[in-house]
Amino acid sequence: QVQLVESGGGLVQAGGSLRLSCAASGSFASINAMGWYRQAPGNEREVVAVITRSDSTNYADSVKGRFTISRDNAKNTVYLQMNSLKPEDTAVYYCNAVILGRWYSGVNSYWGQGTQVTVSS
């Protein structure tokens, strides 16, 4: 059983910055990948950025060059540094982790509770 706890959301003006964090806790063998997704009202959830245990990264075209994903493996934590924020970045941001469990529990995907990011014009 794993929990993901997110923090760092808030209200900023266009052009500002925020840093989101997500910490995984519980009993597991390893985290294979972590990522950030977002969902605005009336829209589908979309991937923002993903990072693997080997630090390979992928970004949505809409955020490339503005957002940076990173992780601290010792703390089981992933970060999303968001710069040059735009009103269209407004959404609930969700942390996701793909985790290998202990005791033959296999690989599972977990979600955080979400954190609101609002960018004013």
Side-chain angles (χ1 to χ4, degrees):
Q1 197 69 25
V2 177
Q3 287 185 330
L4 303 179
V5 179
E6 301 155 333
S7 63
L11 173 64
V12 298
Q13 293 183 341
S17 298
L18 285 173
R19 190 171 89 143
L20 308 182
S21 64
C22 172
S25 63
S27 180
F28 51 85
S30 64
I31 301 175
N32 292 343
M34 301 186 79
W36 291 95
Y37 296 71
R38 67 186 182 187
Q39 186 169 21
N43 298 135
E44 296 182 347
R45 188 173 298 184
E46 62 178 354
V47 63
V48 176
V50 175
I51 186 167
T52 69
R53 191 166 64 174
S54 63
D55 289 334
S56 176
T57 59
N58 285 306
Y59 295 91
D61 289 340
S62 60
V63 307
K64 192 170 296 185
R66 300 188 297 120
F67 292 10
T68 302
I69 189 170
S70 61
R71 66 187 298 172
D72 185 336
N73 291 333
K75 296 181 178 180
N76 295 319
T77 299
V78 64
Y79 305 93
L80 185 68
Q81 179 66 47
M82 303 185 293
N83 298 326
S84 302
L85 283 163
K86 305 174 181 180
E88 52 262 43
D89 294 319
T90 296
V92 177
Y93 284 69
Y94 296 91
C95 177
N96 175 264
V98 178
I99 292 176
L100 175 64
R102 301 177 66 202
W103 312 117
Y104 304 100
S105 57
V107 177
N108 289 284
S109 178
Y110 297 87
W111 291 94
Q113 78 285 353
T115 184
Q116 177 70 47
V117 171
T118 302
V119 184
S120 62
S121 60

